[in-house]
Amino acid sequence: MDWPPKTPLRRRAQWPPEGIARAMAPQRRAGAKAPEGGGGGGARAEGRRRLSSGVKGNVPKDSRRKWLKVAFLLSSAMLGYLLSGTYFLGEDGVTEVLAHYSEHLPDRFIEIPCSEDYDSHKRFEGCTPRKCGRGITDAIIRREEAEKIRRIAERGLSLGGSDGGASILDLHSGALSLGKHFVNMYRYFGDKVYDIFTEEDFQLYRDVRQRIQQKIALAFGISSSSMYLTKPTFFSRINSSEAKTTHDEYWHPHIDKVTYGSFDYTSLLYLSDYTEDFGGGRFVFMDEGANRTVEPRAGRVSFFTSGSENLHHVEKVQWGTRFAITISFTCNPDHGIGDPVLT
């Protein structure tokens, strides 16, 4: 998800790996053993050295040129591959872009092995993940709907907002960032809330949640009726302002199932566009040997199983404002929550 408190970090893989680093180190050739005898033996050895020197000056030189040429071509090809539109070299090594902001993805799904995190919680057959992975789709929420959802977030967050760079709004619990703290907006602002939101806003919210839930169920081969909305589910607004409290530090790597034990499936609906509305702020899956990123665009849905197979973080926003909504699901009905209702 986009917004947990800090959790312990998993140690990043060394780059290059230690064994490769040793193999890359220059190797010293052992020194030649000095001849024990003298006289004629020395002359014959000297003759052999002159002959050997003459050969080294000609045939191996051409061979070295060929190998250098091959090495150059291979290096150029690899560099071109890494700097292509899908892979590039980042600060932490190789990064693969799973979803570019400029492309429209009907559907993309990557299956990965499940972690053991689910074994320490009660299992619910037909729901608890046995098939794990991550998916991205631009096909279930229209851009116009994402813009309407974003206006709901903007109106709600206009009531408050964090002093730091990150604010949340939870329509379910009423939690709203205000300065360095959180308030329940339904109690704190009372009837003013009815001037901010409409029943149509909440109906759109429920409809979007339902479509995302059905998409997740289809991707992982489970019944949507076995999934329950769980908390926290919230809007996030992130800008480049300096963090004032730990609640503003959204960029730490984390595992949703560890942070919130009820989580089984996590989804994000992006409400603004990478490179147009903000810079930085990409979503990053932290896999062994490489990072894999999702570049937000309005209406894009990213979803994944919540265990440590999907360790992730959000890059710091460098400029502009990033809007998203995190919608999370559990298999445990005891941890389920209802849709928000404007009463």
Side-chain angles (χ1 to χ4, degrees):
M1 63 186 293
D2 265 2
W3 192 268
K6 291 189 290 187
T7 55
L9 310 185
R10 187 174 73 182
R11 184 178 178 183
R12 295 299 307 277
Q14 178 182 346
W15 186 262
E18 187 178 356
I20 295 177
R22 284 199 297 264
M24 292 171 62
Q27 303 295 309
R28 291 187 177 182
R29 191 186 300 265
K33 185 177 180 181
E36 295 181 1
R44 286 193 298 272
E46 181 63 25
R48 285 195 298 270
R49 282 198 292 269
R50 283 199 296 269
L51 178 59
S52 174
S53 176
V55 172
K56 286 181 181 178
N58 293 302
V59 179
K61 187 179 292 185
D62 292 337
S63 178
R64 285 198 297 272
R65 286 198 194 100
K66 290 179 181 177
W67 280 110
L68 285 172
K69 185 176 180 180
V70 170
F72 174 77
L73 291 173
L74 287 173
S75 300
S76 299
M78 180 59 71
L79 184 61
Y81 175 68
L82 293 174
L83 298 179
S84 66
T86 304
Y87 291 84
F88 62 91
L89 289 172
E91 292 182 0
D92 298 320
V94 177
T95 295
E96 176 187 357
V97 180
L98 293 180
H100 288 271
Y101 73 95
S102 58
E103 64 180 329
H104 183 275
L105 289 176
D107 194 38
R108 178 167 293 168
F109 184 80
I110 301 97
E111 185 172 352
I112 55 179
C114 292
S115 65
E116 298 178 355
D117 296 342
Y118 309 99
D119 296 336
S120 58
H121 297 265
K122 183 178 180 180
R123 298 192 70 93
F124 293 84
E125 287 303 318
C127 182
T128 299
R130 292 194 180 278
K131 173 184 178 181
C132 293
R134 56 192 67 149
I136 307 107
T137 179
D138 297 322
I140 62 173
I141 309 297
R142 299 192 309 273
R143 175 172 285 271
E144 297 77 26
E145 293 174 316
E147 291 171 350
K148 289 180 180 179
I149 291 282
R150 173 174 169 166
R151 287 194 287 272
I152 297 172
E154 289 173 332
R155 293 199 304 272
L157 287 163
S158 70
L159 294 171
S162 169
D163 288 343
S167 302
I168 71 163
L169 166 65
D170 184 339
L171 294 180
H172 300 264
S173 68
L176 173 70
S177 299
L178 186 65
K180 294 182 175 64
H181 308 284
F182 297 95
V183 298
N184 183 324
M185 67 175 178
Y186 298 122
R187 297 176 182 172
Y188 194 87
F189 294 102
D191 291 342
K192 189 176 181 180
V193 170
Y194 296 98
D195 298 327
I196 298 294
F197 304 116
T198 67
E199 179 54 38
E200 289 74 17
D201 293 334
F202 280 59
Q203 181 57 51
L204 176 60
Y205 181 94
R206 291 191 290 268
D207 182 51
V208 165
R209 185 275 305 163
Q210 186 176 38
R211 275 183 270 164
I212 292 174
Q213 182 171 342
Q214 290 171 345
K215 178 61 181 178
I216 293 173
L218 181 64
F220 290 102
I222 61 176
S223 170
S224 63
S225 62
S226 67
M227 301 166 61
Y228 302 88
L229 194 64
T230 193
K231 60 182 180 181
T233 287
F234 55 89
F235 291 102
S236 60
R237 182 186 69 191
I238 306 175
N239 58 38
S240 59
S241 298
E242 181 183 356
K244 302 299 182 182
T245 72
T246 55
H247 298 299
D248 298 317
E249 297 178 8
Y250 56 86
W251 54 83
H252 296 287
H254 61 277
I255 300 161
D256 290 349
K257 189 69 177 172
V258 173
T259 306
Y260 302 104
S262 63
F263 277 37
D264 290 302
Y265 301 94
T266 306
S267 69
L268 294 157
L269 168 59
Y270 297 108
L271 307 174
S272 49
D273 295 313
Y274 174 67
T275 76
E276 293 185 18
D277 297 314
F278 62 92
R282 297 181 305 168
F283 186 94
V284 184
F285 291 107
M286 302 173 65
D287 297 334
E288 292 291 343
N291 289 335
R292 293 178 169 86
T293 68
V294 176
E295 298 178 348
R297 58 176 279 163
R300 171 165 288 169
V301 176
S302 172
F303 58 92
F304 50 92
T305 44
S306 304
S308 55
E309 68 274 3
N310 280 311
L311 174 72
H312 60 273
H313 76 103
V314 175
E315 294 176 331
K316 288 186 178 181
V317 170
Q318 302 300 322
W319 58 267
T321 305
R322 177 191 191 271
F323 283 90
I325 178 170
T326 298
I327 302 177
S328 46
F329 298 95
T330 183
C331 296
N332 189 338
D334 293 338
H335 295 298
I337 61 174
D339 286 310
V341 178
L342 190 63
T343 58

